[in-house]
């Protein structure tokens, strides 16, 4: 029997394992999903094979009559034909079954059809990230090895959505994808990028275009032959925006969860970072510690400072002809949205624990 694992179960597997397609160009030609969900016993066997035995197995089938549910199984329906590569075969097989995963791109679509847009964007960050969940690593997060690429990329997701066409969840998936960025190194980086970069209507601070862990070359001096010497630095997050004066500015952000109790070495390191970036025109560097991130008042003030460093006007700002009471009510509503998104994707939350 064929089993196609889907939704949050597939997501959990991708974030805890090496990319099953690394170094391979093969594509599964499955065009139609299995018509029937597995039995509860087969579902438990599949979960053991996936090393996710404490979960409920999410699978996807092509026929409504073939759906089943139990304590160990939840089935979903998708009756259209599949583009090639939508199912990923796994090399290990539970007895008597062929086990497949929904591709990372198909998994993103499934989650976008199930969760709100902001949460779908967070799932997208994770699927396009360079980290994986590893309970044995410090903090439970490990960077993927050089030969273990992220499960997918924003470009691959966009291509998949174009190929699959208008199906349930595809419109929300496309909207969510506009806020997803490749190459996050941790869940915290993903949450900060969403909170700082998303528009006000979604609870973000709308600070500018976000890039994750970019390589920045900084000129230091010249060598004895007169050639320029450079160093490279990779901030966690880079935000770029055009200010009120038309000048494009950049802000680099580094988050260090351990820097609250910083010793002399940490302080010197932060000073060196700031001094290195100071050589770049229209560039500011921020180092964030746990109190600035986990206390919303401090976090909001940091966002305001970043906005000013980018030369942007206050947002929200009072519109021409808008009564003061109306502006304050609108601003308060925006602050509530920002608090809600921050609570969900930056601060440890029930949603974050889904990962």
């Amino acid at each position: 029997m064929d089993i196609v694992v889907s939704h949050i179960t597939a997501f959990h597997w991708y974030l805890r394992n090496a990319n099953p397609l690394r170094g391979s160009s093969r594509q599964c030609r499955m065009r139609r999903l299995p018509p029937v969900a597995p039995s509860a016993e087969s579902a438990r066997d599949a979960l053991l094979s996936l090393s996710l035995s404490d979960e409920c197995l999410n699978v996807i089938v092509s026929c409504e009559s073939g759906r089943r549910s139990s304590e160990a199984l939840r089935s979903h329906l998708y009756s259209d034909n599949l583009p090639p590569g939508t199912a990923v075969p796994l090399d290990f097989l539970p007895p008597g079954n062929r086990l497949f995963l929904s591709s990372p791109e198909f998994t993103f679509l499934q989650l976008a059809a199930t969760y709100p847009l902001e949460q779908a964007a967070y799932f997208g960050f994770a699927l396009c990230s360079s980290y994986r969940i590893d309970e044995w690593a410090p903090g439970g997060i490990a960077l993927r090895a050089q030969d273990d690429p992220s499960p997918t990329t924003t470009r691959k997701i966009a291509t998949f959505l174009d190929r699959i066409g208008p199906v349930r969840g595809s419109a929300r998936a496309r909207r969510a994808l506009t806020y997803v960025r490749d190459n996050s190194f941790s869940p915290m980086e993903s949450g900060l990028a969403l909170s700082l970069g998303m528009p006000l209507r979604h609870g973000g601070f709308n600070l500018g275009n976000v890039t994750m862990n970019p390589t920045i070359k900084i000129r230091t001096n010249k060598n004895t032959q007169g050639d320029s010497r450079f160093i490279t630095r990779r901030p966690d997050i880079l935000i770029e925006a055009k200010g009120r004066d038309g000048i494009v500015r950049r802000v680099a952000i580094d988050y260090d969860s351990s820097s609250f109790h910083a010793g002399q070495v940490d302080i010197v390191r932060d000073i060196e970072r700031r001094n290195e970036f100071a050589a770049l025109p229209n560039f500011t560097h921020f180092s964030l510690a746990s109190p600035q991130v986990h206390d919303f008042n401090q976090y909001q003030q940091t966002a305001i400072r970043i906005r000013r460093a980018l030369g942007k006007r206050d947002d929200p700002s009072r519109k021409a002809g808008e009564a003061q009471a109306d502006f304050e009510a609108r601003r308060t509503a925006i602050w509530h949205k920002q608090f809600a998104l921050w609570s969900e994707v930056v601060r440890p939350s029930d949603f974050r624990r889904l990962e």
Side-chain angles (χ1 to χ4, degrees):
M1 180 182 200
D2 289 348
I3 300 173
V4 180
V5 179
S6 68
H7 291 76
I8 199 71
T9 311
F11 175 80
H12 284 165
W13 193 91
Y14 281 119
L15 255 65
R16 285 159 177 77
N17 294 274
N19 188 332
L21 294 176
R22 64 192 186 281
S24 172
S25 59
R26 61 180 179 142
Q27 277 194 335
C28 175
R29 295 292 174 178
M30 180 184 288
R31 296 288 292 166
R32 193 87 176 159
L33 289 165
V36 180
S39 65
E41 183 179 357
S42 294
R44 284 190 287 270
D45 288 341
L47 286 168
L48 285 171
S49 298
L50 295 165
S51 298
L52 297 172
S53 56
D54 57 345
E55 294 196 18
C56 174
L57 181 70
N58 285 265
V59 300
I60 193 161
V61 298
S62 60
C63 295
E64 176 67 38
S65 59
R67 297 179 70 177
R68 295 171 178 167
S69 62
S70 67
E71 187 177 335
L73 176 68
R74 184 176 295 120
S75 58
H76 308 264
L77 179 67
Y78 183 87
S79 55
D80 294 335
N81 289 333
L82 301 173
T86 306
V88 177
L90 294 176
D91 293 332
F92 52 85
L93 304 173
N97 295 306
R98 290 199 307 165
L99 194 58
F100 299 82
L101 288 173
S102 298
S103 71
E105 299 79 24
F106 194 22
T107 300
F108 176 72
L109 172 62
Q110 295 160 3
L111 294 172
T114 309
Y115 292 87
L117 182 142
E118 298 82 8
Q119 295 181 359
Y122 183 89
F123 288 130
F125 261 90
L127 289 168
C128 297
S129 75
S130 297
Y131 69 84
R132 57 182 176 81
I133 307 297
D134 182 349
E135 64 182 41
W136 303 108
I141 302 294
L143 286 180
R144 291 182 178 272
Q146 193 169 1
D147 62 348
D148 179 23
S150 61
T152 188
T153 65
T154 53
R155 178 174 293 185
K156 289 179 180 177
I157 294 174
T159 300
F160 171 80
L161 293 175
D162 288 342
R163 289 166 61 200
I164 205 164
V167 297
R168 180 176 178 267
S170 60
R172 186 186 299 164
R174 287 187 177 90
R175 292 197 305 272
L177 186 61
T178 62
Y179 307 117
V180 178
R181 297 295 182 268
D182 296 319
N183 203 35
S184 172
F185 281 9
S186 71
M188 178 58 80
E189 288 183 14
S190 301
L192 289 171
L194 278 172
S195 175
L196 296 174
M198 288 192 89
L200 301 183
R201 66 181 180 275
H202 292 304
F205 286 87
N206 194 34
L207 294 181
N209 185 49
V210 173
T211 308
M212 308 303 294
N213 295 285
T215 299
I216 298 175
K217 288 180 68 174
I218 304 172
R219 180 178 172 178
T220 54
N221 49 36
K222 293 186 177 182
N223 59 22
T224 54
Q225 285 75 40
D227 299 320
S228 295
R229 299 177 63 183
F230 295 88
I231 57 173
T232 58
R233 292 292 178 263
R234 298 189 74 173
D236 296 338
I237 300 170
L238 183 70
I239 302 177
E240 185 176 293
K242 183 181 289 187
R244 288 171 294 179
D245 53 7
I247 295 175
V248 175
R249 295 177 175 84
R250 294 183 293 170
V251 164
I253 301 170
D254 282 303
Y255 171 71
D256 186 352
S257 60
S258 63
S259 62
F260 178 45
H261 299 291
Q264 189 66 31
V265 172
D266 300 300
I267 294 170
V268 171
R269 181 199 61 199
D270 287 343
I271 292 172
E272 287 176 347
R273 272 187 196 156
R274 282 195 294 272
N275 289 343
E276 288 164 354
F277 285 123
L280 298 173
N282 303 313
F283 200 105
T284 308
H285 178 259
F286 283 80
S287 292
L288 304 186
S290 290
Q292 295 161 294
V293 168
H294 291 117
D295 179 281
F296 183 71
N297 289 328
Q298 291 193 48
Y299 182 73
Q300 188 180 47
Q301 288 304 310
T302 299
I304 291 171
R305 294 187 189 103
I306 293 172
R307 181 181 301 282
R308 290 172 180 166
L310 290 166
K312 300 184 68 176
R313 67 177 70 252
D314 290 342
D315 200 3
S317 57
R318 189 175 173 185
K319 300 175 182 177
E322 184 177 26
Q324 181 65 28
D326 292 340
F327 167 64
E328 290 178 0
R330 183 167 62 87
R331 182 175 60 183
T332 299
I334 288 171
W335 285 351
H336 286 164
K337 283 187 175 182
Q338 290 173 333
F339 178 82
L341 183 62
W342 167 83
S343 297
E344 199 163 70
V345 301
V346 175
R347 187 170 76 168
S349 64
D350 290 342
F351 170 70
R352 282 273 302 272
R353 282 187 278 275
L354 277 177
E355 192 171 11

